[in-house]
Coordinates of all heavy atoms in Angstrom, one line a residue:
G1 N -27.4 17.4 50.2 CA -27.0 16.5 51.3 C -25.8 15.6 50.8 O -24.7 15.8 51.3
M2 N -26.0 14.7 50.0 CA -25.0 13.8 49.6 C -23.9 14.4 48.7 O -22.8 14.0 48.8 CB -25.6 12.6 48.9 CG -26.5 11.7 49.8 SD -25.6 11.2 51.3 CE -24.4 10.1 50.6
S3 N -24.3 15.4 47.9 CA -23.2 16.0 47.0 C -22.3 16.8 47.9 O -21.1 16.8 47.6 CB -23.9 16.9 46.0 OG -24.7 17.9 46.6
F4 N -22.8 17.4 48.9 CA -21.9 18.1 49.9 C -21.0 17.2 50.6 O -19.8 17.4 50.7 CB -22.8 18.9 50.9 CG -22.0 19.3 52.1 CD1 -21.1 20.4 52.1 CD2 -22.1 18.6 53.3 CE1 -20.3 20.8 53.2 CE2 -21.3 19.0 54.4 CZ -20.4 20.1 54.3
L5 N -21.5 16.0 51.0 CA -20.7 15.1 51.7 C -19.6 14.5 50.8 O -18.5 14.3 51.2 CB -21.6 13.9 52.3 CG -22.4 14.3 53.5 CD1 -23.2 13.0 54.0 CD2 -21.5 14.7 54.7
M6 N -20.0 14.2 49.5 CA -19.0 13.7 48.6 C -17.8 14.7 48.4 O -16.7 14.3 48.3 CB -19.6 13.3 47.3 CG -20.5 12.0 47.4 SD -19.5 10.6 48.0 CE -20.7 10.0 49.2
A7 N -18.2 16.0 48.2 CA -17.2 17.0 48.1 C -16.3 17.1 49.3 O -15.1 17.1 49.2 CB -17.8 18.3 47.8
E8 N -16.9 17.0 50.5 CA -16.2 17.1 51.7 C -15.3 15.9 51.9 O -14.1 16.0 52.3 CB -17.1 17.1 52.9 CG -16.4 17.2 54.2 CD -17.4 17.3 55.4 OE1 -18.6 17.5 55.2 OE2 -16.9 17.2 56.5
Y9 N -15.8 14.7 51.5 CA -15.0 13.5 51.6 C -13.8 13.5 50.7 O -12.7 12.9 51.0 CB -15.8 12.2 51.4 CG -16.9 12.0 52.4 CD1 -18.0 11.2 52.1 CD2 -16.9 12.6 53.7 CE1 -19.0 11.0 53.1 CE2 -17.9 12.5 54.6 CZ -18.9 11.6 54.3 OH -19.9 11.5 55.2
T10 N -13.9 14.1 49.5 CA -12.8 14.2 48.6 C -11.7 15.0 49.2 O -10.5 14.6 49.2 CB -13.3 14.9 47.3 OG1 -14.3 14.1 46.7 CG2 -12.1 15.0 46.3
Y11 N -12.0 16.2 49.8 CA -11.0 17.0 50.5 C -10.4 16.2 51.7 O -9.2 16.3 51.9 CB -11.6 18.3 51.0 CG -11.8 19.3 49.8 CD1 -13.1 19.6 49.4 CD2 -10.8 19.9 49.2 CE1 -13.3 20.4 48.4 CE2 -11.0 20.8 48.2 CZ -12.3 21.1 47.8 OH -12.5 21.9 46.7
M12 N -11.2 15.5 52.4 CA -10.8 14.8 53.6 C -9.8 13.7 53.2 O -8.8 13.4 53.9 CB -11.9 14.3 54.4 CG -12.7 15.4 55.2 SD -14.0 14.8 56.1 CE -13.2 14.0 57.5
A13 N -10.1 13.0 52.1 CA -9.3 11.9 51.6 C -7.9 12.4 51.3 O -6.9 11.8 51.6 CB -9.9 11.2 50.4
V14 N -7.8 13.5 50.6 CA -6.5 14.1 50.2 C -5.8 14.5 51.5 O -4.6 14.2 51.6 CB -6.7 15.4 49.3 CG1 -5.4 16.1 49.1 CG2 -7.3 14.9 48.0
Y15 N -6.4 15.1 52.4 CA -5.8 15.5 53.7 C -5.3 14.3 54.4 O -4.2 14.3 55.0 CB -6.8 16.4 54.5 CG -6.2 16.7 55.9 CD1 -5.3 17.8 55.9 CD2 -6.5 16.0 57.0 CE1 -4.7 18.1 57.2 CE2 -5.9 16.4 58.2 CZ -5.0 17.4 58.3 OH -4.4 17.7 59.5
I16 N -6.1 13.3 54.5 CA -5.7 12.1 55.3 C -4.5 11.5 54.7 O -3.6 11.1 55.4 CB -6.9 11.1 55.3 CG1 -8.1 11.6 56.2 CG2 -6.4 9.7 55.8 CD1 -9.4 10.8 56.0
V17 N -4.4 11.4 53.4 CA -3.2 10.8 52.7 C -2.0 11.6 53.0 O -1.0 11.1 53.4 CB -3.5 10.6 51.2 CG1 -2.2 10.2 50.5 CG2 -4.5 9.5 51.0
L18 N -2.1 12.9 52.7 CA -1.0 13.8 52.9 C -0.5 13.9 54.3 O 0.7 13.8 54.6 CB -1.3 15.2 52.4 CG -1.5 15.3 50.9 CD1 -1.9 16.8 50.5 CD2 -0.3 14.9 50.1
F19 N -1.4 14.0 55.3 CA -1.0 14.1 56.7 C -0.5 12.8 57.2 O 0.4 12.7 58.1 CB -2.2 14.6 57.5 CG -1.7 15.1 58.9 CD1 -0.9 16.3 59.0 CD2 -2.1 14.4 60.0 CE1 -0.5 16.7 60.2 CE2 -1.7 14.9 61.3 CZ -0.9 16.0 61.4
S20 N -1.0 11.7 56.7 CA -0.5 10.3 57.1 C 0.9 10.2 56.7 O 1.7 9.6 57.4 CB -1.4 9.2 56.4 OG -2.6 9.2 57.0
I21 N 1.3 10.7 55.5 CA 2.7 10.6 55.1 C 3.6 11.4 56.1 O 4.7 10.9 56.5 CB 2.9 11.1 53.6 CG1 2.2 10.2 52.6 CG2 4.3 11.3 53.3 CD1 2.0 10.8 51.3
F22 N 3.1 12.5 56.4 CA 3.8 13.4 57.4 C 3.9 12.6 58.8 O 5.0 12.6 59.4 CB 3.1 14.7 57.6 CG 3.7 15.6 58.6 CD1 4.8 16.4 58.3 CD2 3.1 15.7 59.9 CE1 5.3 17.3 59.3 CE2 3.6 16.6 60.8 CZ 4.7 17.3 60.5
L23 N 2.8 12.1 59.2 CA 2.8 11.4 60.5 C 3.7 10.2 60.6 O 4.3 10.0 61.6 CB 1.4 11.0 60.9 CG 0.4 12.0 61.5 CD1 -0.9 11.4 61.8 CD2 1.0 12.5 62.8
V24 N 3.7 9.4 59.6 CA 4.5 8.2 59.6 C 6.0 8.4 59.8 O 6.7 7.7 60.5 CB 4.2 7.3 58.4 CG1 4.9 7.7 57.1 CG2 4.5 5.8 58.7
F25 N 6.4 9.6 59.2 CA 7.9 9.9 59.4 C 8.2 10.5 60.7 O 9.3 10.3 61.3 CB 8.3 10.9 58.3 CG 8.4 10.2 56.9 CD1 7.6 10.6 55.9 CD2 9.4 9.2 56.7 CE1 7.7 9.9 54.6 CE2 9.5 8.6 55.5 CZ 8.7 9.0 54.4
F26 N 7.3 11.3 61.3 CA 7.6 11.9 62.6 C 7.1 11.2 63.8 O 7.6 11.5 64.9 CB 7.0 13.4 62.5 CG 7.8 14.3 61.6 CD1 7.2 14.6 60.3 CD2 9.0 14.8 61.9 CE1 8.0 15.3 59.4 CE2 9.7 15.6 61.0 CZ 9.2 15.8 59.8
T27 N 6.1 10.4 63.7 CA 5.5 9.7 64.9 C 5.5 8.2 64.8 O 5.4 7.6 65.8 CB 4.1 10.2 65.2 OG1 3.3 9.8 64.1 CG2 4.1 11.7 65.4
G28 N 5.5 7.6 63.6 CA 5.5 6.2 63.5 C 4.2 5.6 63.0 O 3.2 6.3 62.8
V29 N 4.3 4.3 62.7 CA 3.1 3.7 62.2 C 1.9 3.6 63.1 O 0.8 3.8 62.6 CB 3.5 2.3 61.7 CG1 2.3 1.5 61.2 CG2 4.5 2.4 60.5
P30 N 2.1 3.3 64.4 CA 0.9 3.2 65.2 C 0.0 4.5 65.3 O -1.2 4.4 65.2 CB 1.4 2.8 66.6 CG 2.7 2.1 66.3 CD 3.3 2.8 65.1
T31 N 0.7 5.6 65.4 CA 0.0 6.9 65.4 C -0.7 7.1 64.1 O -1.8 7.7 64.1 CB 1.0 8.0 65.8 OG1 1.6 7.8 67.0 CG2 0.3 9.4 65.8
T32 N 0.0 6.8 63.0 CA -0.6 7.0 61.7 C -1.9 6.1 61.6 O -2.9 6.6 61.0 CB 0.4 6.7 60.6 OG1 1.6 7.5 60.8 CG2 -0.2 6.9 59.2
I33 N -1.8 4.9 62.0 CA -3.0 4.0 62.0 C -4.1 4.6 62.8 O -5.3 4.6 62.3 CB -2.6 2.6 62.4 CG1 -1.7 1.9 61.4 CG2 -3.9 1.7 62.7 CD1 -1.1 0.6 61.9
A34 N -3.8 5.1 64.0 CA -4.8 5.7 64.9 C -5.4 6.9 64.2 O -6.7 7.1 64.2 CB -4.2 6.0 66.2
F35 N -4.6 7.7 63.5 CA -5.1 8.9 62.8 C -6.1 8.5 61.7 O -7.2 9.0 61.5 CB -4.0 9.7 62.2 CG -4.4 10.8 61.3 CD1 -5.0 11.9 61.7 CD2 -4.1 10.6 59.9 CE1 -5.4 12.9 60.9 CE2 -4.5 11.6 59.0 CZ -5.2 12.7 59.5
V36 N -5.7 7.5 60.9 CA -6.5 7.0 59.8 C -7.8 6.4 60.3 O -8.9 6.7 59.8 CB -5.8 6.0 58.8 CG1 -6.7 5.4 57.8 CG2 -4.6 6.8 58.2
V37 N -7.8 5.6 61.3 CA -9.0 5.0 61.9 C -9.9 6.1 62.4 O -11.1 6.1 62.2 CB -8.6 4.0 63.0 CG1 -9.9 3.6 63.8 CG2 -8.0 2.8 62.4
G38 N -9.3 7.1 63.1 CA -10.1 8.2 63.6 C -10.7 9.0 62.5 O -11.9 9.5 62.6
S39 N -10.0 9.2 61.4 CA -10.5 10.0 60.3 C -11.7 9.3 59.6 O -12.7 9.9 59.3 CB -9.4 10.2 59.3 OG -8.4 11.0 59.8
V40 N -11.5 8.0 59.4 CA -12.6 7.2 58.8 C -13.8 7.1 59.7 O -14.9 7.2 59.2 CB -12.0 5.7 58.4 CG1 -13.2 4.8 58.0 CG2 -11.0 5.8 57.3
T41 N -13.5 7.0 61.0 CA -14.7 7.0 62.0 C -15.4 8.3 61.9 O -16.6 8.4 61.9 CB -14.2 6.8 63.4 OG1 -13.5 5.5 63.4 CG2 -15.3 6.7 64.4
S42 N -14.7 9.4 61.8 CA -15.3 10.7 61.7 C -16.1 10.9 60.4 O -17.2 11.4 60.4 CB -14.2 11.8 61.7 OG -14.8 13.1 61.5
I43 N -15.6 10.4 59.3 CA -16.3 10.4 58.0 C -17.6 9.6 58.1 O -18.7 10.0 57.7 CB -15.4 9.9 56.9 CG1 -14.3 10.9 56.6 CG2 -16.2 9.5 55.6 CD1 -13.3 10.4 55.6
L44 N -17.5 8.4 58.7 CA -18.7 7.5 58.9 C -19.7 8.2 59.8 O -20.9 8.1 59.5 CB -18.2 6.2 59.5 CG -19.3 5.1 59.6 CD1 -19.8 4.8 58.2 CD2 -18.6 3.8 60.1
C45 N -19.2 8.8 60.9 CA -20.2 9.5 61.8 C -20.9 10.6 61.1 O -22.1 10.9 61.3 CB -19.4 10.0 63.0 SG -19.0 8.8 64.2
G46 N -20.2 11.4 60.2 CA -20.8 12.4 59.4 C -21.9 11.9 58.5 O -22.9 12.5 58.4
W47 N -21.6 10.8 57.9 CA -22.6 10.2 56.9 C -23.8 9.7 57.7 O -24.9 10.0 57.3 CB -21.9 9.1 56.2 CG -22.8 8.5 55.1 CD1 -23.0 9.0 53.9 CD2 -23.5 7.3 55.2 NE1 -23.9 8.2 53.2 CE2 -24.2 7.1 54.0 CE3 -23.7 6.3 56.2 CZ2 -25.1 6.1 53.7 CZ3 -24.6 5.3 55.9 CH2 -25.2 5.2 54.7
I48 N -23.6 9.0 58.8 CA -24.7 8.5 59.6 C -25.5 9.6 60.2 O -26.7 9.6 60.2 CB -24.2 7.5 60.7 CG1 -23.6 6.3 60.1 CG2 -25.3 7.2 61.7 CD1 -22.9 5.4 61.1
G49 N -24.8 10.6 60.7 CA -25.5 11.8 61.3 C -26.3 12.5 60.2 O -27.4 12.9 60.5
M50 N -25.8 12.7 59.0 CA -26.6 13.3 58.0 C -27.8 12.5 57.6 O -28.9 13.0 57.5 CB -25.8 13.5 56.7 CG -26.4 14.3 55.6 SD -26.7 16.0 56.0 CE -25.0 16.7 55.6
K51 N -27.7 11.2 57.5 CA -28.8 10.3 57.2 C -29.9 10.4 58.3 O -31.1 10.5 58.1 CB -28.4 8.9 57.1 CG -27.6 8.6 55.8 CD -28.5 8.8 54.6 CE -27.8 8.4 53.4 NZ -28.6 8.6 52.2
I52 N -29.5 10.3 59.6 CA -30.4 10.4 60.7 C -31.1 11.8 60.8 O -32.3 11.9 61.0 CB -29.7 10.1 62.0 CG1 -29.3 8.6 62.1 CG2 -30.7 10.4 63.2 CD1 -28.5 8.2 63.3
A53 N -30.3 12.8 60.5 CA -30.9 14.2 60.6 C -31.9 14.4 59.5 O -33.0 14.9 59.8 CB -29.7 15.2 60.4
V54 N -31.7 13.9 58.3 CA -32.7 14.1 57.2 C -33.9 13.2 57.5 O -35.0 13.7 57.4 CB -32.1 13.7 55.8 CG1 -33.1 13.6 54.8 CG2 -31.0 14.7 55.4
F55 N -33.7 12.0 58.0 CA -34.8 11.1 58.3 C -35.7 11.8 59.4 O -36.9 11.8 59.3 CB -34.2 9.8 58.8 CG -35.2 8.7 59.1 CD1 -35.7 7.9 58.1 CD2 -35.7 8.5 60.4 CE1 -36.6 6.9 58.4 CE2 -36.6 7.5 60.7 CZ -37.1 6.8 59.7
T56 N -35.0 12.4 60.4 CA -35.7 13.0 61.6 C -36.4 14.3 61.1 O -37.5 14.6 61.6 CB -34.8 13.2 62.7 OG1 -34.2 12.0 63.1 CG2 -35.5 13.8 63.9
N57 N -35.7 15.1 60.3 CA -36.3 16.4 59.9 C -37.6 16.2 59.2 O -38.5 17.0 59.4 CB -35.3 17.2 59.1 CG -34.2 17.7 59.9 OD1 -34.2 17.7 61.1 ND2 -33.1 18.1 59.3
V58 N -37.7 15.2 58.3 CA -38.9 15.0 57.6 C -40.1 14.6 58.5 O -41.2 15.2 58.5 CB -38.7 13.9 56.5 CG1 -40.1 13.4 55.9 CG2 -37.8 14.3 55.5
R59 N -39.8 13.8 59.5 CA -40.8 13.4 60.5 C -41.2 14.5 61.4 O -42.3 14.6 61.8 CB -40.3 12.1 61.2 CG -40.6 10.9 60.4 CD -39.5 9.9 60.4 NE -39.7 8.8 59.4 CZ -39.3 8.9 58.2 NH1 -38.8 10.0 57.7 NH2 -39.6 7.9 57.3
T60 N -40.2 15.3 61.8 CA -40.4 16.4 62.7 C -41.4 17.4 62.0 O -42.3 17.9 62.6 CB -39.1 17.1 63.1 OG1 -38.3 16.2 63.8 CG2 -39.4 18.3 63.9
T61 N -41.1 17.7 60.8 CA -41.9 18.7 60.0 C -43.4 18.1 59.9 O -44.3 18.9 60.1 CB -41.4 18.9 58.6 OG1 -40.0 19.4 58.7 CG2 -42.2 19.8 57.8
H62 N -43.5 16.9 59.6 CA -44.8 16.2 59.5 C -45.6 16.3 60.9 O -46.8 16.7 60.9 CB -44.7 14.8 59.1 CG -46.0 14.1 59.0 ND1 -47.2 14.7 58.7 CD2 -46.3 12.7 59.1 CE1 -48.2 13.8 58.6 NE2 -47.6 12.6 58.9
Q63 N -44.9 16.1 62.0 CA -45.5 16.1 63.3 C -45.9 17.5 63.7 O -46.8 17.7 64.4 CB -44.6 15.5 64.3 CG -44.5 14.0 64.2 CD -45.8 13.3 64.4 OE1 -46.7 13.6 65.2 NE2 -46.1 12.3 63.5
C64 N -45.1 18.5 63.2 CA -45.4 19.9 63.6 C -46.7 20.4 63.0 O -47.3 21.3 63.5 CB -44.2 20.8 63.2 SG -42.8 20.7 64.3
W65 N -47.2 19.7 61.9 CA -48.5 20.1 61.4 C -49.6 19.8 62.4 O -50.6 20.4 62.4 CB -48.7 19.4 60.0 CG -47.9 20.0 58.9 CD1 -46.9 19.4 58.3 CD2 -48.1 21.2 58.3 NE1 -46.4 20.2 57.3 CE2 -47.2 21.4 57.3 CE3 -49.1 22.2 58.4 CZ2 -47.1 22.5 56.5 CZ3 -49.0 23.4 57.6 CH2 -48.0 23.5 56.7
K66 N -49.4 18.7 63.2 CA -50.3 18.4 64.2 C -50.2 19.4 65.3 O -51.2 20.1 65.6 CB -50.1 17.0 64.8 CG -50.3 15.9 63.8 CD -50.0 14.6 64.5 CE -50.2 13.4 63.5 NZ -49.8 12.1 64.1
N67 N -49.1 19.5 66.0 CA -48.8 20.5 67.0 C -47.3 20.6 67.2 O -46.6 19.6 66.9 CB -49.6 20.3 68.3 CG -49.3 19.0 69.0 OD1 -48.1 18.6 69.1 ND2 -50.3 18.3 69.5
L68 N -46.8 21.7 67.8 CA -45.4 21.8 67.9 C -44.8 20.9 69.0 O -43.7 20.5 68.9 CB -45.1 23.3 68.3 CG -45.3 24.3 67.2 CD1 -45.0 25.7 67.8 CD2 -44.5 24.0 66.0
S69 N -45.6 20.5 70.0 CA -45.1 19.6 71.0 C -44.8 18.2 70.4 O -43.7 17.6 70.8 CB -46.2 19.4 72.1 OG -45.8 18.5 73.1
A70 N -45.6 17.7 69.5 CA -45.3 16.4 68.9 C -44.1 16.5 68.0 O -43.3 15.6 68.0 CB -46.5 16.0 68.0
G71 N -43.9 17.6 67.3 CA -42.7 17.8 66.5 C -41.5 17.9 67.3 O -40.4 17.4 67.0
F72 N -41.6 18.6 68.5 CA -40.4 18.7 69.4 C -40.0 17.3 69.9 O -38.9 17.0 70.0 CB -40.8 19.6 70.6 CG -39.7 19.8 71.5 CD1 -38.6 20.6 71.2 CD2 -39.7 19.2 72.8 CE1 -37.6 20.8 72.2 CE2 -38.7 19.3 73.7 CZ -37.6 20.2 73.4
D73 N -41.0 16.5 70.3 CA -40.7 15.2 70.8 C -40.0 14.3 69.7 O -39.0 13.6 70.1 CB -42.0 14.4 71.2 CG -42.6 15.0 72.4 OD1 -41.9 15.7 73.2 OD2 -43.9 14.8 72.7
V74 N -40.4 14.4 68.5 CA -39.8 13.6 67.4 C -38.3 14.1 67.2 O -37.4 13.4 67.1 CB -40.6 13.7 66.1 CG1 -39.8 13.1 64.9 CG2 -41.9 13.0 66.2
A75 N -38.2 15.5 67.3 CA -36.8 16.0 67.1 C -35.9 15.6 68.2 O -34.7 15.2 67.9 CB -36.9 17.6 67.0
I76 N -36.3 15.6 69.4 CA -35.5 15.2 70.6 C -35.2 13.8 70.5 O -34.0 13.4 70.7 CB -36.2 15.5 71.9 CG1 -36.3 17.0 72.1 CG2 -35.5 14.8 73.1 CD1 -35.0 17.7 72.3
Q77 N -36.1 12.9 70.1 CA -35.8 11.5 70.0 C -34.8 11.2 68.9 O -33.9 10.4 69.0 CB -37.1 10.7 69.7 CG -38.1 10.7 70.9 CD -39.4 10.1 70.5 OE1 -39.7 9.8 69.4 NE2 -40.3 10.0 71.5
G78 N -35.0 11.9 67.7 CA -34.0 11.8 66.7 C -32.6 12.2 67.1 O -31.6 11.6 66.7
G79 N -32.5 13.3 67.8 CA -31.2 13.8 68.3 C -30.6 12.8 69.2 O -29.4 12.6 69.2
C80 N -31.4 12.2 70.1 CA -30.9 11.2 71.0 C -30.3 10.0 70.3 O -29.3 9.5 70.7 CB -32.0 10.8 72.0 SG -32.4 12.1 73.2
V81 N -31.1 9.6 69.3 CA -30.6 8.4 68.5 C -29.3 8.7 67.8 O -28.3 8.0 67.9 CB -31.7 8.0 67.5 CG1 -31.1 7.0 66.5 CG2 -32.9 7.4 68.2
M82 N -29.2 9.9 67.2 CA -28.0 10.3 66.5 C -26.9 10.4 67.5 O -25.8 9.9 67.2 CB -28.2 11.6 65.8 CG -27.0 12.1 65.0 SD -27.3 13.4 63.8 CE -27.9 14.7 64.9
G83 N -27.0 11.1 68.6 CA -26.0 11.3 69.6 C -25.4 10.0 70.1 O -24.2 9.7 70.1
L84 N -26.3 9.1 70.5 CA -25.9 7.8 71.0 C -25.2 7.0 70.0 O -24.2 6.3 70.3 CB -27.2 7.1 71.6 CG -26.9 5.8 72.3 CD1 -26.0 6.0 73.5 CD2 -28.2 5.1 72.8
S85 N -25.7 7.0 68.8 CA -25.1 6.2 67.7 C -23.7 6.7 67.4 O -22.8 5.8 67.3 CB -25.9 6.3 66.4 OG -27.2 5.9 66.6
L86 N -23.5 8.0 67.3 CA -22.2 8.5 67.0 C -21.2 8.3 68.1 O -20.0 7.9 67.8 CB -22.3 10.0 66.6 CG -23.3 10.2 65.4 CD1 -23.2 11.7 65.0 CD2 -23.0 9.3 64.2
V87 N -21.6 8.5 69.3 CA -20.7 8.3 70.4 C -20.3 6.8 70.5 O -19.2 6.5 70.8 CB -21.3 8.8 71.8 CG1 -20.5 8.3 73.0 CG2 -21.4 10.3 71.7
S88 N -21.3 5.9 70.3 CA -21.1 4.5 70.4 C -20.1 4.1 69.3 O -19.1 3.3 69.6 CB -22.4 3.7 70.2 OG -23.2 4.0 71.2
L89 N -20.2 4.6 68.1 CA -19.3 4.3 67.0 C -17.9 4.8 67.4 O -16.9 4.0 67.2 CB -19.8 4.9 65.7 CG -19.0 4.5 64.5 CD1 -19.1 3.0 64.2 CD2 -19.6 5.2 63.3
G90 N -17.7 5.9 67.9 CA -16.4 6.5 68.3 C -15.8 5.6 69.4 O -14.6 5.3 69.4
L91 N -16.6 5.2 70.4 CA -16.1 4.4 71.5 C -15.6 3.0 71.0 O -14.6 2.4 71.4 CB -17.1 4.2 72.6 CG -17.2 5.5 73.5 CD1 -18.4 5.3 74.5 CD2 -15.9 5.8 74.2
L92 N -16.4 2.4 70.0 CA -16.0 1.2 69.5 C -14.7 1.2 68.7 O -13.9 0.4 68.8 CB -17.1 0.6 68.5 CG -18.3 0.0 69.2 CD1 -19.5 -0.3 68.2 CD2 -18.0 -1.2 70.0
A93 N -14.5 2.3 68.0 CA -13.3 2.5 67.2 C -12.1 2.7 68.2 O -11.0 2.1 68.0 CB -13.4 3.7 66.3
L94 N -12.3 3.4 69.3 CA -11.3 3.6 70.3 C -10.9 2.3 71.0 O -9.8 2.0 71.1 CB -11.7 4.7 71.3 CG -10.7 5.0 72.4 CD1 -9.4 5.5 71.8 CD2 -11.3 6.0 73.4
F95 N -12.0 1.5 71.3 CA -11.8 0.2 72.0 C -11.0 -0.7 71.0 O -10.0 -1.4 71.5 CB -13.1 -0.4 72.3 CG -13.0 -1.7 72.9 CD1 -12.5 -1.9 74.2 CD2 -13.3 -2.9 72.2 CE1 -12.4 -3.2 74.8 CE2 -13.2 -4.2 72.7 CZ -12.7 -4.3 74.0
A96 N -11.3 -0.7 69.8 CA -10.6 -1.6 68.8 C -9.1 -1.2 68.7 O -8.3 -2.0 68.7 CB -11.3 -1.5 67.4
L97 N -8.9 0.1 68.7 CA -7.5 0.6 68.6 C -6.7 0.2 69.9 O -5.6 -0.3 69.8 CB -7.4 2.1 68.4 CG -7.7 2.6 67.0 CD1 -7.8 4.1 67.0 CD2 -6.6 2.2 66.1
I98 N -7.3 0.3 71.0 CA -6.7 0.0 72.3 C -6.3 -1.5 72.3 O -5.3 -1.9 72.7 CB -7.5 0.4 73.5 CG1 -7.5 1.9 73.6 CG2 -7.0 -0.3 74.8 CD1 -8.5 2.4 74.6
E99 N -7.3 -2.3 71.8 CA -7.1 -3.8 71.8 C -6.0 -4.2 70.8 O -5.2 -5.1 71.1 CB -8.4 -4.5 71.5 CG -9.4 -4.5 72.6 CD -8.9 -5.2 73.9 OE1 -8.4 -6.3 73.8 OE2 -8.9 -4.6 75.0
I100 N -6.0 -3.5 69.7 CA -5.0 -3.8 68.6 C -3.6 -3.5 69.1 O -2.6 -4.2 68.9 CB -5.4 -3.1 67.3 CG1 -6.6 -3.8 66.7 CG2 -4.2 -3.1 66.3 CD1 -7.2 -3.0 65.5
F101 N -3.5 -2.3 69.8 CA -2.1 -1.8 70.2 C -1.6 -2.4 71.5 O -0.6 -1.9 72.0 CB -2.1 -0.3 70.1 CG -2.2 0.3 68.8 CD1 -3.0 1.3 68.5 CD2 -1.4 -0.3 67.7 CE1 -3.1 1.9 67.2 CE2 -1.5 0.3 66.4 CZ -2.3 1.3 66.2
K102 N -2.4 -3.2 72.1 CA -1.9 -3.8 73.4 C -0.6 -4.5 73.3 O -0.3 -5.2 72.4 CB -3.0 -4.8 74.0 CG -4.0 -4.1 74.9 CD -4.9 -5.2 75.5 CE -5.9 -4.5 76.4 NZ -6.8 -5.5 77.0

């Protein structure tokens, strides 16, 4: 889990830096800032999503020993929490960018 994310984040960091240099010359600073904020938000969402998924998977497996219906309920609840959390984080980042660039 975490070793995969760290390897992915290393590649993403290199890409963010290189592409930001390209963006700042062709589009300007505001677009570059929006790109970096979006990239960091994406990284944060991936980390939070992985944590919630692992947390939920353990509980889903445990509940499935009782019956599949209980396991399904836990899985759906975990997915709802993850989806709402990640969309909320993305909207907060977008709102912050809009407010900053007004």
